[in-house]
Amino acid sequence: MSDLKLFNSLTRQLETFQPVHPGVPGDAAKPPEARVYSCGPTVYNYQHIGNMRAYVFADTLGRVLSYKGYKLTHVINITDVGHLTSDADAGEDKMEKMAASQGKSAWDIAAFYQADFEADLARLNIRKPAHPKATEYVDAMIAWGKEIAEKHCYELDSGLYFDVSTVPEYGRLARAVTDDGEGRIEEVDGKRNKADFAIWRKTPAGETRQMEWDSPWGRGAPGWHLECSVMSKALLGMPFDIHTGGIDHREIHHPNEIAQNQAHECSGDSGARIWMHNNFLVERSGKMSKSSGEFLRLQLLIDKGFHPLAYRLMCLQAHYRSELEFSWEGLQAAFVRLKRMVMAVEKLEAKANPDWMSVPIAIQSRLKRFDDAVSDDLNTAVALTLLEGSIDASIGAHDALQMIAKMDAVLGLNLLALTRQDLRIRPKAAIITEAEIETALAQRKEARANKDFATSDRIRDDLIAKGVEVMDGDPLGWDWKLDV
Ligand code: AMP
Ligand code: ZN
């Protein structure tokens, strides 16, 4: 197998992955390990599909590591407390604000949106990571704060603050720590440096929060950055292998995590060997923003008749470090590509004998190229093309299916389980059942056979009015599509 090369945001270079825990070569009981931490969602609202791009990326990374033979431990934390409405250490707590607007408790809000997030993970075929909740680690966060308070922190009326000048090279991950960037996080009076950030936020005098704890710095809640340092060390040990997140976290959140790690571990190291960041999914009309009414979440895509794995495929078509622009046309194209693959795999399965898994695989060169692609900083776009090229009966149905199984274990499109039927999803707005569509189409076919084009057109217009677009001569043999 090729060496796995990953782009490390810390050095801005491709680096060969060297595990912190290499295991014992030749001893199957002690395999090499890969320990990965991904910044998880703040569960005060639904996730948008941009957020889900971050987890498709982290899952693909995890799948590549498993495929390379590493025993994977993957953590995605759940931020169920302490995230403010702005990047500054001021403003309302998002969780409490949502709780007030829905007339529920902050705890209920967190539980509801965590469950919704987990459902989205499953729908995108993201392998179940460990997802511990921040509220379960508050004691550990207080203990961490106590250990670094004397040398690295100072107290203000509003809480305990980290002095970024006490650690070497603060902000080296962000590179350009401009005044503009830092200016965004000032806001609190009395900070020594603009970039200083809260380790503990005291509940303002006279107020009570639903989520608050006692601490040496008064009753309040932990600062958001602290949870990732504490939870990554508790669950993965420090240093661990890879820390992931969206590109926005490269500027403030991760530099702050690194500063906390340096302070706590009394070391210049960042805490993780490799820091990886996915670029953003962008959408021009602003529908990605959670504050817009109908924002882009996975359920909306499903409501419009798309299979969620079409979105996973759309993500894989782009390199994770490239910006990806969302459009319904782009999603539709990915959906058609997925349909083609699923239908071609179904044909192969019909040809192969049922225990094709037991037939030894003959064709290795294509797998080698696949390995080269995913080892090259997760080049999923090339890997996808190789997977598609393998759905080819001319190389023998057994070999083809085995290659598809190996490749799809990495890409996670679930091609061997999905059926053509699974991909037909009725949009929420469609006012017609599948059986009615089939009946109408049969009548239309008959009308066309009789050259009764008036009837055929009437049936077609009627279907369009009900949200179904009829696609004459569709090369996929997909004679209807649900309109979006
Ligand atoms: P948040 O809940 O805002 O902390 O975001 C959860 C994850 O999604 C983080 O890793 C973010 O960096 C990432 N993220 C947020 N918006 C986008 C986007 N539009 N595209 C890709 N990743 C995003
Ligand atoms: Zn984090």
Side-chain angles (χ1 to χ4, degrees):
M1 278 202 183
S2 308
D3 283 347
L4 175 59
K5 301 255 201 265
L6 300 172
F7 187 83
N8 188 351
S9 298
L10 262 185
T11 57
R12 303 287 201 271
Q13 273 176 355
L14 282 180
E15 288 177 14
T16 301
F17 177 66
Q18 307 274 10
V20 174
H21 303 276
V24 177
D27 183 347
K30 296 192 177 113
E33 286 190 47
R35 302 186 184 182
V36 180
Y37 184 92
S38 305
C39 287
T42 309
V43 285
Y44 71 99
N45 200 342
Y46 297 112
Q47 298 304 298
H48 58 54
I49 55 172
N51 299 133
M52 299 316 291
R53 184 184 187 198
Y55 308 116
V56 168
F57 152 63
D59 179 58
T60 308
L61 171 67
R63 285 170 176 269
V64 168
L65 288 161
S66 300
Y67 162 80
K68 292 279 198 189
Y70 295 101
K71 178 171 164 261
L72 177 74
T73 311
H74 186 195
V75 175
I76 301 181
N77 68 305
I78 300 287
T79 301
D80 56 349
V81 65
H83 207 354
L84 299 177
T85 42
S86 79
D87 250 341
D89 291 315
E92 283 174 285
D93 185 307
K94 285 179 179 170
M95 206 79 65
E96 306 236 352
K97 191 177 170 198
M98 190 57 122
S101 78
Q102 293 192 14
K104 291 185 184 160
S105 79
W107 301 92
D108 288 345
I109 289 290
F112 176 84
Y113 291 110
Q114 178 177 348
D116 187 81
F117 169 65
E118 285 166 5
D120 276 1
L121 291 181
R123 295 196 287 197
L124 289 168
N125 203 22
I126 290 171
R127 298 191 304 181
K128 207 170 167 39
H131 34 67
K133 293 191 284 192
T135 45
E136 291 161 355
Y137 287 80
V138 175
D139 287 347
M141 292 186 223
I142 293 171
W144 184 297
K146 278 194 207 163
E147 283 173 56
I148 63 171
E150 197 185 318
K151 275 196 181 160
H152 299 276
C153 304
Y154 57 93
E155 238 181 299
L156 297 176
D157 285 347
S158 52
L160 183 72
Y161 286 82
F162 191 96
D163 179 341
V164 299
S165 69
T166 62
V167 288
E169 289 186 275
Y170 172 77
R172 75 189 147 121
L173 177 67
R175 294 269 164 107
V177 185
T178 61
D179 274 354
D180 269 4
E182 290 175 0
R184 281 173 48 214
I185 55 167
E186 184 167 35
E187 287 208 20
V188 176
D189 282 342
K191 287 205 302 194
R192 293 182 189 162
N193 312 286
K194 280 182 175 178
D196 290 354
F197 56 91
I199 291 287
W200 190 263
R201 296 182 291 113
K202 279 188 222 176
T203 305
E207 283 182 26
T208 33
R209 286 202 179 114
Q210 291 182 41
M211 287 183 164
E212 56 179 9
W213 294 262
D214 285 322
S215 85
W217 318 286
R219 208 163 161 72
W224 169 47
H225 312 293
L226 187 57
E227 73 179 70
C228 287
S229 285
V230 169
M231 291 162 90
S232 59
K233 172 152 182 168
L235 292 154
L236 302 178
M238 207 164 263
F240 58 94
D241 293 297
I242 305 175
H243 196 312
T244 80
I247 191 88
D248 52 331
H249 287 345
R250 202 180 66 180
E251 310 309 317
I252 296 172
H253 179 49
H254 289 169
N256 291 353
E257 272 188 52
I258 290 174
Q260 294 165 156
N261 296 346
Q262 288 176 321
H264 190 262
E265 304 302 295
C266 304
S267 144
D269 290 348
S270 70
R273 284 217 175 143
I274 298 187
W275 293 76
M276 293 177 76
H277 296 98
N278 63 278
N279 212 321
F280 264 35
L281 179 80
V282 292
E283 203 271 334
R284 291 192 192 283
S285 70
K287 288 233 170 103
M288 199 81 78
S289 156
K290 292 182 187 175
S291 50
S292 77
E294 187 193 58
F295 73 82
L296 280 171
R297 61 188 182 99
L298 201 59
Q299 185 61 52
L300 180 68
L301 274 46
I302 297 167
D303 287 348
K304 289 190 186 284
F306 291 96
H307 193 280
L309 288 175
Y311 176 64
R312 183 176 179 114
L313 177 57
M314 187 178 174
C315 292
L316 296 176
Q317 289 178 161
H319 192 266
Y320 74 89
R321 282 195 282 126
S322 309
E323 204 170 78
L324 173 60
E325 183 161 347
F326 177 80
S327 69
W328 292 107
E329 294 75 25
L331 183 64
Q332 180 63 40
F335 195 16
V336 170
R337 193 174 181 193
L338 181 65
K339 285 175 183 173
R340 277 184 207 282
M341 288 198 244
V342 167
M343 288 166 71
V345 170
E346 278 186 347
K347 277 194 190 149
L348 278 181
E349 282 172 324
K351 276 199 182 133
N353 65 39
D355 63 344
W356 54 266
M357 272 294 214
S358 62
V359 180
I361 187 160
I363 295 176
Q364 295 293 349
S365 68
R366 204 184 293 249
L367 274 178
K368 169 79 179 77
R369 277 191 283 150
F370 181 84
D371 180 48
D372 286 347
V374 295
S375 304
D376 178 17
D377 195 27
L378 318 183
N379 194 337
T380 49
V382 170
L384 265 175
T385 315
L386 288 162
L387 169 57
E388 260 169 342
S390 305
I391 311 177
D392 175 2
S394 71
I395 53 179
H398 299 108
D399 277 0
L401 283 170
Q402 292 217 27
M403 272 195 295
I404 293 160
K406 284 182 198 294
M407 294 180 185
D408 196 40
V410 177
L411 297 173
L413 293 171
N414 213 10
L415 292 178
L416 293 166
L418 278 181
T419 65
R420 184 181 154 143
Q421 256 57 42
D422 296 330
L423 297 179
R424 274 191 177 170
I425 296 178
R426 222 167 69 84
K428 212 172 161 188
I431 42 173
I432 188 165
T433 64
E434 266 194 45
E436 285 166 338
I437 298 173
E438 298 293 356
T439 309
L441 284 174
Q443 287 167 354
R444 181 165 178 267
K445 207 169 171 183
E446 202 184 310
R448 281 162 70 90
N450 295 332
K451 303 218 179 320
D452 178 1
F453 295 113
T455 303
S456 142
D457 287 351
R458 188 183 47 70
I459 295 172
R460 181 163 192 245
D461 291 346
D462 190 42
L463 284 169
I464 288 174
K466 290 176 174 157
V468 180
E469 185 188 329
V470 181
M471 301 192 293
D472 287 322
D474 173 20
L476 294 175
W478 209 273
D479 43 18
W480 52 267
K481 171 184 108 154
L482 293 157
D483 210 10
V484 285

